[in-house]
Amino acid sequence: MTHAGRPSPAPLPGDLSLRHPVPSDHPRLQTALADWWGGLGGEAGALQRKLLVPRLFLQHFADTSFLVERPDGTLHAFLIGFLSRTDPATAYIHFVGVCPDGKRGGVGRALYERFFTLAHEAGRTRVRCITSPDNRASIAYHTRMGFHLEPGDHTDEHGTPVHTDYDGPGLDRVSFVREL
Amino acid sequence: MTHAGRPSPAPLPGDLSLRHPVPSDHPRLQTALADWWGGLGGEAGALQRKLLVPRLFLQHFADTSFLVERPDGTLHAFLIGFLSRTDPATAYIHFVGVCPDGKRGGVGRALYERFFTLAHEAGRTRVRCITSPDNRASIAYHTRMGFHLEPGDHTDEHGTPVHTDYDGPGLDRVSFVREL
């Protein structure tokens, strides 16, 4: 697909604004990672999410990541992504969050589409990401966003292919890929 | 410094061999992250280390990372690093481990020097990394390897500059930089 033939990303809803993150955004992201997932996984789940987004992503992969802020400067949503160095066809979305009040407002889709455009312009032909098998909302969301579930080593009770211990013992994951 | 003027990295000691990691190395790395730090930080410390090295580093930053294996194929040491995308002068070392029996054998230095050479050849002029303030061995090691400690927001009882809550609440860090 040529760049000229690619539709522009959806506009951000309402009066939200978009920018790349900076390292000093890290404390706000940490608070979001603790609070925005509705307690998924309890304390261990919150700790796991927080440790998965160390400051290095804001220092070294800022230009492939986005923050969305409200007019008062508070955090509304974020996307942490990067371009694979090992696989020149692939861009990777590491973590996406939308504040609870912002769900179903289209901001998640706007963020993904901006990342798809960025990845395409960087010559990437596919985007990959993962999620936890117990995050049913995330699995449904990625399917709606055009991602395909990759085969795992078994299928769970919902028919979802799961990679057992993907990120370590007890850290099962579902793997997605979307062609650009 | 010109490339021609740069000394070659130290050879690997003994009959050890070096290669880039692949995703299927992840379970061995997870075991090492749990076992090689002498119980530093207890169960929470082991969990923290394991969550800091998700599979994505072996999938997407493999060509800037290294594994060292013994003749029988068992894991002896590793270095996970990448080139900053946001800061084109910087390369970043995310995690380094040497098995307890391999300490003081020169393999750590050999890994760092290979990464320095790789970073230099990629046009980078400095290497950054971080560690925990309670990892006194790591702080001493990085100082011997030519890293400088960057100013923090306070100095601890050992005179070490510390960045409070650098990677989140309770996750203080010491920050190093080394010019190439």
Side-chain angles (χ1 to χ4, degrees), chain A residues 26 30 48 51-52 54-56 59-64 82-86 92 94 166-168 171, chain B residues 26 30 47-48 51-52 54-56 59-64 82-86 92 94 166-168 171:
Chain A
H26 192 254
Q30 288 280 306
Q48 198 186 118
L51 288 171
L52 281 172
R55 184 175 287 252
L56 69 88
Q59 295 167 320
H60 303 300
F61 304 105
D63 55 344
T64 51
F82 57 80
L83 305 177
S84 176
R85 180 167 167 94
T86 304
Y92 187 86
H94 179 48
Y166 179 99
D167 261 338
L171 301 176
Chain B
H26 192 255
Q30 288 279 306
L47 178 65
Q48 197 185 119
L51 288 172
L52 281 172
R55 183 176 288 252
L56 68 88
Q59 294 166 319
H60 302 300
F61 304 106
D63 55 344
T64 53
F82 57 79
L83 305 177
S84 177
R85 177 165 171 97
T86 304
Y92 187 87
H94 178 49
Y166 179 98
D167 261 338
L171 300 175

Side-chain angles (χ1 to χ4, degrees), chain A residues 6 13 38 63 79 89 112 127:
Chain A
R6 193 168 179 81
D63 55 344
L79 182 152
Y112 275 84
V127 175

